[in-house]
Amino acid sequence: QVQLVESGGGSVQAGGSLRLSCSASDKNYSKYCVAWFRQAPGKEREGVAAIDRDGGISYVDSVKGRFTISQDNAKNTLYLQMDSLKPEDTAMYYCAAATYPVTSIQAVGVMRGLLNPFGFWGQGTQVTVST
């Protein structure tokens, strides 16, 4: 069982930056695929960024060029650097770890909500962006 704990959320003005962290209890947590998701009130959960089994990276179109997903294997930690934040980025952000291998092509499906290989989820961290 992998435990995931997010941190780093908060309230910022539009144009600001935040860095989310996701600390994992198991060093192999990212072996198959890890990702960040978000869910705003009244909206469906959406994939934001993912790192697949081969280290390939995928982003949802709305955050490309503004968000960067990365990981520090020595610290068992996944990050999401969020720059140029917009009010529409306001949501609860979750990290997730897959329970089976995800290829780069499948990661695109993950971002589109067509595939859900994630068996481990964190409790979420709130991001609020004001105008």
Side-chain angles (χ1 to χ4, degrees):
Q1 189 77 7
V2 177
Q3 305 295 324
L4 301 173
V5 180
E6 302 96 335
S7 61
S11 297
V12 296
Q13 289 189 325
S17 298
L18 284 173
R19 188 177 80 156
L20 305 184
S21 299
C22 172
S23 178
S25 62
D26 187 321
K27 66 179 181 179
N28 294 314
Y29 79 105
S30 63
K31 181 170 67 172
Y32 295 138
C33 177
V34 284
W36 287 97
F37 287 80
R38 65 186 179 187
Q39 187 167 21
K43 294 188 177 181
E44 292 189 356
R45 185 179 65 198
E46 71 167 345
V48 175
I51 302 177
D52 62 50
R53 70 172 187 183
D54 300 317
I57 292 176
S58 301
Y59 295 99
V60 68
D61 287 346
S62 60
V63 307
K64 286 180 180 177
R66 300 189 298 121
F67 290 12
T68 303
I69 187 173
S70 63
Q71 58 183 355
D72 185 332
N73 292 330
K75 296 182 178 179
N76 297 345
T77 301
L78 181 71
Y79 300 102
L80 184 68
Q81 177 67 42
M82 305 186 296
D83 299 317
S84 302
L85 282 161
K86 303 176 181 180
E88 50 263 44
D89 295 318
T90 295
M92 185 72 79
Y93 283 71
Y94 302 88
C95 65
T99 54
Y100 59 84
V102 176
T103 66
S104 58
I105 293 176
Q106 291 171 326
V108 175
V110 168
M111 293 295 100
R112 295 177 179 177
L114 302 176
L115 183 67
N116 182 9
F118 303 100
F120 305 111
W121 293 83
Q123 82 291 346
T125 186
Q126 178 67 39
V127 172
T128 303
V129 184
S130 59
T131 56

